[in-house]
């Protein structure tokens, strides 16, 4: 079976990784944590099972910070470039769409839209917080 494989790296290239298969989900998160951590108005996420993500270079250069037990944020200690966030309660890893080169990013949903600072009128569902199957309300908001 041939599997899709994508390579990614931090800003300086000291850390390299591969993701294989297909993401479990893709979309945009508008929460304050994502905005503050990324220093951007929105985070484009792609969620993968942990076994789909493999660090191929520079694993000793990866820094980790967890403000909460829900999110372990990873970056490169040399350049400060962000890599991914592990979400142990979900059993998934958010590999930022921006750091996976060739991935065809196809967002399906906006989450935590009640916190948005950048409205995006793209016709995709806008969830107040998180999908019901991920412990959220699943409530949709107007764009
Ligand atoms: Zn780096
Ligand atoms: Zn977020």
């Amino acid at each position: 079976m041939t599997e899709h494989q994508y390579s990614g790296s931090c800003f300086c290239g000291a850390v390299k990784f591969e993701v294989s298969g297909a993401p479990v989900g893709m979309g945009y998160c508008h929460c304050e944590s994502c905005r503050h951590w990324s220093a951007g108005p929105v985070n484009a996420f792609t969620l993968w099972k942990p076994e789909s993500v493999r660090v191929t270079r520079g694993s000793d250069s990866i820094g980790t910070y967890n403000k909460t037990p829900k999110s372990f944020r990873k970056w490169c200690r040399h350049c400060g470039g962000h890599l991914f966030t592990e979400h142990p309660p979900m059993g998934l890893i958010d590999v930022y769409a921006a750091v996976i080169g060739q991935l065809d990013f196809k967002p399906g949903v906006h989450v935590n839209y009640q916190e948005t600072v950048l409205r995006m009128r793209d016709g995709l569902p806008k969830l107040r917080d998180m999908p019901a199957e991920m412990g959220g309300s699943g409530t949709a908001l107007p764009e």
Side-chain angles (χ1 to χ4, degrees):
M1 227 176 80
T2 53
E3 252 196 336
H4 285 291
Q5 192 156 298
Y6 309 94
S7 54
S9 73
C10 67
F11 188 50
C12 75
V15 179
K16 292 193 187 301
F17 63 88
E18 288 174 354
V19 287
S20 53
V24 176
M26 297 192 270
Y28 300 99
C29 184
H30 294 258
C31 84
E32 196 277 338
S33 292
C34 282
R35 287 189 280 110
H36 211 142
W37 164 253
S38 69
V42 66
N43 176 42
F45 66 81
T46 72
L47 294 169
W48 304 78
K49 300 231 182 249
E51 56 268 29
S52 298
V53 182
R54 195 165 65 93
V55 175
T56 54
R57 178 177 156 183
S59 57
D60 53 344
S61 298
I62 297 177
T64 302
Y65 177 75
N66 69 300
K67 193 178 198 176
T68 74
K70 288 181 182 175
S71 301
F72 289 73
R73 299 169 188 275
K74 312 272 184 177
W75 74 93
C76 167
R77 292 177 190 276
H78 297 290
C79 67
H82 294 178
L83 295 159
F84 40 81
T85 296
E86 292 174 357
H87 296 296
M90 282 197 247
L92 296 170
I93 299 178
D94 170 9
V95 183
Y96 308 122
V99 297
I100 313 176
Q102 326 90 313
L103 182 72
D104 186 14
F105 181 63
K106 289 201 172 85
V109 66
H110 292 254
V111 297
N112 297 310
Y113 203 64
Q114 65 180 341
E115 299 176 49
T116 192
V117 296
L118 180 66
R119 295 194 172 272
M120 297 167 76
R121 293 179 175 87
D122 55 9
L124 294 172
K126 308 289 184 308
L127 297 186
R128 175 189 299 281
D129 40 78
M130 294 290 280
E133 62 269 28
M134 288 183 172
S137 69
T139 307
L141 296 177
E143 290 197 321

